[in-house]
Amino acid sequence: MIRRAITKLGILVFIFVMVVVSACSNQAGNNVSTNTSSESEKASAQSGSNVLTIALSQDVDTFDTHNTTSISTEGVMVNLLSYLIKRDNSGKPHPHLAESYESKDDVTWSFILKDNLKFHNGDTLTSQDVKFSLERVAKDKTLKQYQNYKSIQEVKIIDDTHFEIITNGPDPVLPYRLAREGAGILPKKYIDESGWEAFLKHPIGSGPYEFVEWIKGDKLFMKKFKEYFGGDVTDWDTVVFRTITETSTRIGELLTGGVQIATSIPPTDWDRVNNNEGTSVVNGDQTGVMMLMVNQSKEFKTSDPKVREAIDYAIDRQALIDKYSPGSVSTRTRIVPGVPGFEESLYNTNRYDPERAKQLLQEAGYNDGNKLEITYTASQGRTYADSETAQMIAGMLEAVGIKVNLELLEASKYVDVRTTGKNKELLQTGWNNTLFDPSLALGHFHSTYNPKGFGYQNPTVDELLDKAAVNMNPEEREEQYKQVQRIVAEELPYVYLYVMKDFYGVSDVVTYEPRVDTMFYVEEIKKK
């Protein structure tokens, strides 16, 4: 009897220990998964017919949008956070949390907030939250968005709904800055009382959706915020952002109804999506441009303007577009339609002339006995067809007599080379312009930008960029930026290829028009 009692006691102790271990394991998992909502909320978010599911190729990297430059993260977080100003689908800024705003003088902007703005926890959004948020990103040099907001000197509070933003010099770009990810308005009281760790586990915003659960690397759940200041703007009670990195799996989920929208559909899979009943491919314009960064430092052969021009003439942009980005537009500028200062004469042009390229190489002193040899660096597997595009361009350069040493790098090594200036003659890259202002794209041509990896210097360009940066006259400023574009189109610090497009797989049960800024504003995605 004693032995049986001990045995039973041992079993009970074992069961108790296993329960405790299981509970601890779940708590540890919560630190990664950010499971902070009630079970009823989770069940509601994961069931029912009024759920929109979007498949992304990348997960969010943080809920602190002041400390990320990830477009994928912002594309999700625009549903949870709100900005003082919001872009329309052409990129133009309009008041959002702000009822109105105006420039009082070259360094003072006056704002009035809308009434009855609420955070998801019920707290009222006031000028205090604006001051807390904008001064944080403008003064904390460790934040990744600091460079874009350091022009803000102070947010001066007048009352709960009225404040002024004081800049440390004229900043004509401020409205565009305030519509970007680094300007999300965060809840001061919640963060002061609960701490940043609590916010990063359970972010609070004032957008049309509030946080439910994040299973890192898998799914992010949000539910409709019933007290959203914009009213009932969305058709969907719940939105689920799924992270599916594998293209074939992402497409498979679309075809079988597991998701209603899937991002990054390559041309090789268009027929598969379009021929499936109930799905189709939708393309969208964006601000991103595919290009080659040309190192003009004296130790490289590309310091010779004839060599740079020969490379430009050797590349058949239309062939690249037909192969890897059908519907895209060739360009000789990074400024796209809709962005102030757009230089139309450089858009939709293809300066392909291999015979001219050969002639320029001859003039530069290169021939069969003295062949030009360059290094061309690109990523492999970081973006769609990155290495294949590089191989195709390398073939075009070889065809005019240039020996190409093609260097294909995995993602982390490629990023290291690009950010530290270790690249040699050519570096394949792509940049977008989420600011929707020419200053972001054309700022690369200032002599202070990456002198080691870029090597481009032109005092006239420096002067134009410096003047435009503080010019509060929109017409004069646009002309200054147009002049910069015309100059660099000939001097070729970048060899531009084409304006990129985004391709999405979309279920017939929704109406979806992709945005130029690539954001997923769920309120704009409608049920059919």
Side-chain angles (χ1 to χ4, degrees):
M1 292 293 293
I2 294 175
R3 183 175 296 177
R4 286 181 181 177
I6 293 174
T7 301
K8 289 181 180 178
L9 178 62
I11 292 171
L12 290 172
V13 169
F14 175 78
I15 291 172
F16 173 77
V17 170
M18 291 304 295
V19 168
V20 170
V21 169
S22 175
C24 292
S25 174
N26 285 337
Q27 289 173 2
N30 289 347
N31 290 335
V32 175
S33 302
T34 319
N35 301 323
T36 57
S37 300
S38 68
E39 292 303 320
S40 61
E41 281 182 312
K42 294 176 190 177
S44 172
Q46 299 178 44
S47 64
S49 59
N50 207 24
V51 178
L52 175 68
T53 305
I54 301 172
L56 307 175
S57 60
Q58 297 181 55
D59 199 359
V60 301
D61 60 353
T62 178
F63 293 132
D64 182 359
T65 55
H66 293 178
N67 199 31
T68 180
T69 57
S70 168
I71 298 301
S72 299
T73 296
E74 187 191 8
V76 171
M77 292 296 287
V78 292
N79 297 287
L80 189 144
L81 295 177
S82 297
Y83 307 100
L84 293 173
I85 295 171
K86 182 178 176 181
R87 298 178 297 237
D88 63 23
N89 200 21
S90 68
K92 288 183 172 55
H94 300 278
H96 187 46
L97 287 172
E99 180 67 37
S100 62
Y101 69 95
E102 63 175 341
S103 173
K104 293 178 64 177
D105 56 48
D106 283 356
V107 297
T108 307
W109 297 75
S110 176
F111 284 78
I112 297 176
L113 291 173
K114 292 176 178 173
D115 293 328
N116 300 317
L117 299 176
K118 294 289 185 182
F119 285 112
H120 299 148
N121 64 350
D123 290 345
T124 300
L125 189 158
T126 71
S127 299
Q128 289 283 354
D129 300 291
V130 176
K131 181 178 178 68
F132 168 77
S133 302
L134 296 186
E135 288 190 356
R136 175 189 185 236
V137 73
K139 295 181 179 181
D140 186 344
K141 296 181 180 180
T142 67
L143 296 173
K144 292 179 181 178
Q145 286 291 333
Y146 163 76
Q147 289 294 331
N148 295 317
Y149 296 91
K150 62 181 181 180
S151 67
I152 297 175
Q153 178 177 301
E154 177 191 5
V155 177
K156 182 180 177 182
I157 295 176
I158 310 300
D159 56 39
D160 280 352
T161 60
H162 183 199
F163 60 91
E164 293 176 345
I165 297 177
I166 315 298
T167 58
N168 51 32
D171 185 6
V173 192
L174 186 70
Y176 290 90
R177 299 189 198 284
L178 296 178
R180 296 184 76 232
E181 66 265 39
I185 304 303
L186 307 177
K188 180 181 186 301
K189 181 182 176 184
Y190 173 69
I191 293 171
D192 284 347
E193 293 179 352
S194 303
W196 277 104
E197 186 176 348
F199 175 84
L200 294 176
K201 286 185 176 181
H202 191 119
I204 296 293
S206 58
Y209 283 89
E210 58 181 303
F211 177 83
V212 175
E213 179 184 20
W214 180 37
I215 305 171
K216 189 173 182 179
D218 185 10
K219 298 174 184 176
L220 171 60
F221 296 92
M222 296 183 189
K223 67 177 181 179
K224 185 188 294 188
F225 177 44
K226 295 181 180 179
E227 294 185 70
Y228 176 56
F229 67 90
D232 187 3
V233 297
T234 176
D235 290 349
W236 311 97
D237 293 332
T238 301
V239 58
V240 183
F241 292 97
R242 293 182 57 187
T243 303
I244 307 177
T245 57
E246 175 61 42
T247 300
S248 61
T249 305
R250 199 163 56 251
I251 294 172
E253 284 293 294
L254 173 73
L255 300 184
T256 57
V259 304
Q260 287 75 55
I261 300 173
T263 62
S264 304
I265 307 298
T268 50
D269 289 293
W270 289 0
D271 286 345
R272 182 183 172 200
V273 174
N274 285 326
N275 293 336
N276 177 67
E277 185 176 356
T279 60
S280 59
V281 174
V282 174
N283 69 68
D285 294 328
Q286 58 153 293
T287 63
V289 175
M290 182 65 70
M291 62 193 82
L292 302 179
M293 191 166 95
V294 185
N295 198 328
Q296 298 193 14
S297 299
K298 291 182 179 179
E299 63 265 35
F300 298 113
K301 305 290 179 60
T302 42
S303 60
D304 186 336
K306 290 187 182 295
V307 168
R308 298 195 300 272
E309 198 173 358
I311 292 170
D312 191 33
Y313 277 109
I315 299 173
D316 185 352
R317 292 159 175 79
Q318 192 58 49
L320 294 170
I321 290 170
D322 292 343
K323 180 76 172 176
Y324 298 117
S325 190
S328 292
V329 177
S330 58
T331 187
R332 294 178 59 214
T333 178
R334 193 175 149 197
I335 306 302
V336 302
V339 175
F342 169 60
E343 178 50 75
E344 190 173 3
S345 67
L346 299 174
Y347 189 72
N348 198 15
T349 61
N350 187 11
R351 202 160 73 158
Y352 175 55
D353 188 343
E355 294 307 313
R356 176 63 176 151
K358 292 175 184 178
Q359 180 185 343
L360 286 163
L361 290 174
Q362 289 279 347
E363 293 174 10
Y366 298 102
N367 49 49
D368 291 339
N370 179 31
K371 205 168 189 179
L372 172 64
E373 184 173 351
I374 63 172
T375 297
Y376 180 150
T377 304
S379 60
Q380 185 167 28
R382 183 171 179 264
T383 58
Y384 168 67
D386 47 4
S387 60
E388 293 87 348
T389 299
Q391 289 165 2
M392 189 170 178
I393 293 174
M396 294 173 182
L397 300 179
E398 294 272 6
V400 301
I402 302 173
K403 178 175 171 49
V404 178
N405 299 316
L406 188 58
E407 185 179 58
L408 300 177
L409 305 177
E410 58 87 20
S412 61
K413 190 170 183 181
Y414 166 82
V415 171
D416 176 66
V417 167
R418 189 177 75 174
T419 55
T420 58
K422 297 175 184 176
N423 52 287
K424 296 181 181 178
E425 284 87 358
L426 296 181
L427 178 77
Q428 181 176 297
T429 188
W431 293 103
N432 56 39
N433 184 2
T434 57
L435 188 61
F436 281 86
D437 185 83
S439 58
L440 181 66
L442 301 183
H444 284 204
F445 304 124
H446 200 283
S447 59
T448 57
Y449 176 82
N450 192 12
K452 183 179 177 182
F454 212 44
Y456 178 68
Q457 296 185 41
N458 184 319
T460 300
V461 170
D462 280 358
E463 184 180 4
L464 286 166
L465 291 174
D466 289 341
K467 287 181 177 179
V470 295
N471 193 342
M472 301 297 284
N473 183 306
E475 291 77 21
E476 289 180 4
R477 186 169 177 270
E478 287 191 27
E479 183 52 40
Q480 288 163 339
Y481 283 127
K482 286 183 179 182
Q483 289 182 52
V484 171
Q485 291 170 77
R486 291 192 289 264
I487 292 170
V488 299
E490 300 304 322
E491 296 187 341
L492 296 169
Y494 279 124
V495 170
Y496 290 112
L497 302 174
Y498 55 85
V499 180
M500 295 183 283
K501 276 187 174 286
D502 288 315
F503 301 99
Y504 306 83
V506 180
S507 167
D508 289 350
V509 302
V510 302
T511 299
Y512 173 59
E513 181 182 346
R515 289 177 58 96
V516 177
D517 58 11
T518 70
M519 300 295 102
F520 283 104
Y521 282 100
V522 173
E523 63 207 74
E524 298 175 355
I525 304 170
K526 301 299 182 182
K527 269 181 158 184
K528 282 189 178 177

